[in-house]
Amino acid sequence: MSKKNIIFKVEKDSIAEEMGIEPGDVLININDTNIKDVFDYRYLIQNEYIEVGIEKPNGEEWLLEIDKEEYEDLGIVFEKGLMDKAKSCFNKCVFCFIDQLPKGMRDTLYFKDDDTRLSFLQGNYVTLTNMSKDDINRLIFYHFSPINISVHTTDMELRKYMLKNPNAINVMDYIKCFYEAGIKMNFQIVLCKGINDGGHLIKSIWDLSSFIPNGISLSVVPFGMTKFRDGLEKIEAFNKKDCCDIIDMVEKTQKELFDRFGTKFVFLSDEFYIIAEREFHNADFYEDFSQLENGVGMISLMESEFFAYLKLLDGDNKRRHISIATGSAAYKFILNLTSELTKKFNYTKIDVYEIKNNFFGNTITVSGLLTGGDIIEQLSGKELGDCLLIPENAFKADDTIMLDDVNIRDIEKALRCNVKISYSDGAKFINNILF
């Protein structure tokens, strides 16, 4: 049975609405060409004149002749944003976080996607190990850019070992193809102690820097280890000295790269600086923040936004009592920000609570992996004031549910207080507290 591109929504006052297209209709083809996914669709609707085949719920088929502006959108939203099934991961990475999840969580959390189209659409990082030559050529034809690539090491035998996949050795050839086609790329290395660090890391940085300027940036993030690693390969967590050594080594390389290419290119995630107890760099250190979603420069950017906005505000005499839940990694940082805020807003009381991650284990310290159960357990009986703020990255995208399926309403009911989502943008963070 061929898949159906079901129309989920039609934008108001759009071409689709004008042509009588409705939710529940099926897109059959465009210009007599079948639609594999959203990229076929976007490519085929570019012209000023197109013919669109639609199937109505009663089985009636329409052929719509549409004159429009070049690149003008039709105003159709599909049931599946990708318009296709996402490709799953073929790897068995030694550092895989999904393999470290406990049983009993919602099914979607166990799906390992490794789809280059989602890299372009959502910023996901992909290994390219499930790509055929036709897939690579299709990416080049549509000029998907940027593509976010999980490299981990440029030593191909080591990469094959880390990903437990013989196809892992093709990545540099694919990257070269993208580079020659003018496609922009961001790279990622998940750093594992005693495996791809040290000399392997430096070699990987320099190898990948050869793709500048189409290689935009490289992020290095530490392996995240939960308490659910029974039967998995033993990997040690990085300690303070390890992180200090990594920072010194990478920052030396950054200076050399900047002298040669005019960009630092490689950036460490904030976790390294937190574990090392090193001061964070100013926001301008991170250039264009191309690796922000990987936790690179997030704290520096939020701090910059926070103080720029705070300068614009006048204090007031309004009494407030706000509580904030955060992970161990960001606790001191959030505490410092709220201390500065209360210097200007003297009648505002802010309690910041460090939530230990009992669910995944104390080696997990980031706010994005907090669970509702840990928050409820550790804040029960506390006087939380007017409102409890919980970081936005602890929730499922565009939803109010957390990793353990606890939602905002569950927390409000258990703690008997109002709960709001707190945003990482510095100005929004202040407004969450004051308004």
Side-chain angles (χ1 to χ4, degrees):
M1 180 184 294
S2 61
K3 73 181 183 69
K4 289 192 172 184
N5 295 313
I6 300 173
I7 295 170
F8 177 71
K9 180 182 176 183
V10 174
E11 301 287 355
K12 185 175 174 56
D13 300 324
S14 64
I15 293 173
E17 184 182 62
E18 182 182 339
M19 300 300 295
I21 298 173
E22 299 174 311
D25 291 351
V26 174
L27 174 66
I28 302 172
N29 55 44
I30 297 176
N31 298 336
D32 204 30
T33 301
N34 292 331
I35 310 296
K36 173 181 172 58
D37 59 26
V38 69
F39 297 103
D40 285 343
Y41 171 74
R42 290 292 174 197
Y43 178 75
L44 290 166
I45 66 169
Q46 293 181 43
N47 295 334
E48 294 178 357
Y49 172 80
I50 59 174
E51 295 181 354
V52 178
I54 294 290
E55 180 184 318
K56 305 300 283 187
N58 63 4
E60 184 179 342
E61 293 188 4
W62 292 5
L63 180 64
L64 305 175
E65 298 179 347
I66 298 176
D67 290 298
K68 64 182 187 63
E69 297 292 328
E70 188 177 15
Y71 303 115
E72 185 179 3
D73 189 54
L74 298 183
I76 294 173
V77 179
F78 293 95
E79 188 175 43
K80 296 179 180 179
L82 186 59
M83 298 176 65
D84 193 20
K85 185 178 180 180
K87 285 188 175 183
S88 61
C89 180
F90 291 173
N91 309 311
K92 190 69 176 176
C93 299
V94 296
F95 51 81
C96 179
F97 190 82
I98 293 175
D99 286 344
Q100 302 177 80
L101 294 178
K103 295 179 180 179
M105 303 180 77
R106 62 180 179 270
D107 290 344
T108 53
L109 294 175
Y110 299 100
F111 178 72
K112 303 179 184 180
D113 76 74
D114 199 16
D115 197 312
T116 326
R117 299 168 298 178
L118 292 178
S119 176
F120 176 73
L121 288 172
Q122 301 175 4
N124 299 16
Y125 275 79
V126 292
T127 66
L128 306 180
T129 54
N130 59 5
M131 303 290 290
S132 67
K133 288 185 179 180
D134 287 343
D135 291 329
I136 296 296
N137 290 335
R138 187 168 186 264
L139 295 182
I140 291 171
F141 175 77
Y142 283 132
H143 204 80
F144 289 175
S145 191
I147 295 175
N148 298 325
I149 304 171
S150 288
V151 180
H152 307 309
T153 178
T154 57
D155 180 320
M156 291 301 98
E157 286 304 309
L158 179 58
R159 189 173 198 258
K160 185 167 66 172
Y161 161 75
M162 293 185 71
L163 274 59
K164 304 297 184 188
N165 189 335
N167 291 331
I169 61 173
N170 298 324
V171 67
M172 296 302 283
D173 293 333
Y174 293 160
I175 290 172
K176 185 178 179 182
C177 288
F178 294 148
Y179 172 79
E180 292 174 348
I183 291 175
K184 301 297 183 183
M185 298 167 283
N186 292 304
F187 306 116
Q188 177 197 61
I189 289 175
V190 174
L191 203 63
C192 300
K193 185 173 179 176
I195 299 179
N196 61 336
D197 54 354
H200 285 297
L201 174 59
I202 295 302
K203 179 182 184 300
S204 296
I205 293 171
W206 283 107
D207 286 348
L208 292 170
S209 74
S210 67
F211 298 106
I212 295 172
N214 291 340
I216 302 169
S217 66
L218 165 64
S219 65
V220 182
V221 302
F223 158 67
M225 180 171 59
T226 78
K227 64 184 181 183
F228 302 101
R229 283 195 62 81
D230 290 346
L232 300 177
E233 184 160 341
K234 290 185 178 180
I235 304 176
E236 287 185 47
F238 289 111
N239 59 33
K240 179 178 178 180
K241 182 181 183 306
D242 295 330
C243 290
C244 287
D245 291 343
I246 291 166
I247 291 170
D248 292 341
M249 181 172 63
V250 170
E251 290 191 349
K252 178 178 181 293
T253 306
Q254 284 174 324
K255 292 175 183 178
E256 295 169 355
L257 287 163
F258 190 82
D259 289 341
R260 184 178 299 188
F261 298 109
T263 174
K264 300 181 187 74
F265 179 64
V266 58
F267 297 94
L268 294 169
S269 72
D270 294 352
E271 282 184 81
F272 285 105
Y273 291 90
I274 292 168
I275 297 170
E277 298 179 6
R278 292 278 188 91
E279 288 189 12
F280 294 101
H281 292 284
N282 293 329
D284 57 7
F285 177 86
Y286 293 96
E287 298 179 0
D288 62 356
F289 290 97
S290 57
Q291 296 276 1
L292 195 64
E293 294 301 316
N294 256 338
V296 175
M298 187 176 291
I299 284 179
S300 298
L301 179 60
M302 183 176 179
E303 183 177 55
S304 174
E305 294 167 340
F306 176 92
F307 283 106
Y309 186 62
L310 185 60
K311 286 180 181 178
L312 303 177
L313 300 177
D314 295 321
D316 61 31
N317 296 327
K318 184 177 178 180
R319 295 189 178 275
R320 308 175 184 85
H321 181 191
I322 304 295
S323 294
I324 301 173
T326 188
S328 299
Y331 172 69
K332 290 182 180 178
F333 170 68
I334 298 297
L335 199 62
N336 289 338
L337 292 189
T338 56
S339 175
E340 292 298 319
L341 185 64
T342 54
K343 287 178 183 178
K344 179 171 281 191
F345 293 86
N346 306 115
Y347 292 90
T348 296
K349 178 184 178 183
I350 306 173
D351 292 319
V352 182
Y353 291 98
E354 177 185 5
I355 305 298
K356 302 289 186 181
N357 202 316
N358 297 326
F359 187 89
F360 288 114
N362 59 17
T363 52
I364 299 298
T365 61
V366 294
S367 297
L369 294 175
L370 289 177
T371 60
D374 280 343
I375 291 173
I376 291 170
E377 179 185 2
Q378 295 173 45
L379 297 186
S380 289
K382 305 285 187 184
E383 178 51 57
L384 300 174
D386 305 316
C387 185
L388 170 66
L389 301 182
I390 299 175
E392 60 177 322
N393 59 356
F395 295 93
K396 183 180 178 182
D398 302 318
D399 207 336
T400 59
I401 193 169
M402 304 185 75
L403 282 168
D404 57 351
D405 288 338
V406 174
N407 62 41
I408 280 185
R409 299 293 164 254
D410 297 328
I411 299 172
E412 287 183 329
K413 184 177 179 180
L415 297 180
R416 298 181 181 180
C417 71
N418 292 323
V419 176
K420 289 198 304 185
I421 295 175
S422 174
Y423 297 97
S424 57
D425 176 279
K428 289 181 179 178
F429 176 73
I430 291 176
N431 286 335
N432 278 153
I433 295 170
L434 298 181
F435 306 106

